[in-house]
Amino acid sequence: MNKDMLTPKDILMDTLNTSKALCTLYATFLTEASNDDTVYTIGELEDETVDIQRDVFNLLYDKGWYKLEADSIKNIKNTINQYKKSKGEM
């Protein structure tokens, strides 16, 4: 394979990152749109993009190209405590 060519992993990682960014943009658009028909259409596009993102993630994970690391109990407890503190301040 030519060193200048993208690998299947590169293509999938780019697709994953792009679909994640699109989901963020769609969510922002949906909170700011005023036309019901437009909201419905963009909502459908967002749903499709979420499905694509999940499929690509699963493919990357199944192939061992996307690793997940377990977090420490300490970090998990800290996150829970931060959430409880923030919730209490509301």
Side-chain angles (χ1 to χ4, degrees):
M1 182 179 281
N2 184 335
K3 67 178 179 135
D4 295 329
M5 292 181 63
L6 294 173
T7 66
K9 178 184 175 184
D10 294 333
I11 294 167
L12 288 171
M13 286 300 292
D14 186 58
T15 303
L16 179 65
N17 290 326
T18 300
S19 62
K20 288 163 84 174
L22 278 171
C23 288
T24 300
L25 293 170
Y26 285 144
T28 300
F29 182 91
L30 289 170
T31 61
E32 297 178 1
S34 61
N35 180 283
D36 289 341
D37 291 336
T38 303
V39 168
Y40 177 79
T41 301
I42 296 301
E44 287 183 326
L45 291 172
E46 181 187 34
D47 290 344
E48 290 174 19
T49 305
V50 168
D51 291 343
I52 291 168
Q53 181 270 323
R54 191 69 193 163
D55 290 344
V56 172
F57 169 81
N58 286 334
L59 183 58
L60 282 161
Y61 185 79
D62 291 345
K63 291 190 168 287
W65 293 339
Y66 196 107
K67 304 283 188 206
L68 296 177
E69 296 178 17
D71 208 342
S72 70
I73 295 296
K74 180 181 175 184
N75 284 343
I76 293 170
K77 287 181 179 180
N78 284 340
T79 301
I80 291 169
N81 289 334
Q82 288 174 356
Y83 169 77
K84 287 179 181 178
K85 181 181 176 188
S86 295
K87 186 178 174 185
E89 292 173 355
M90 288 184 179

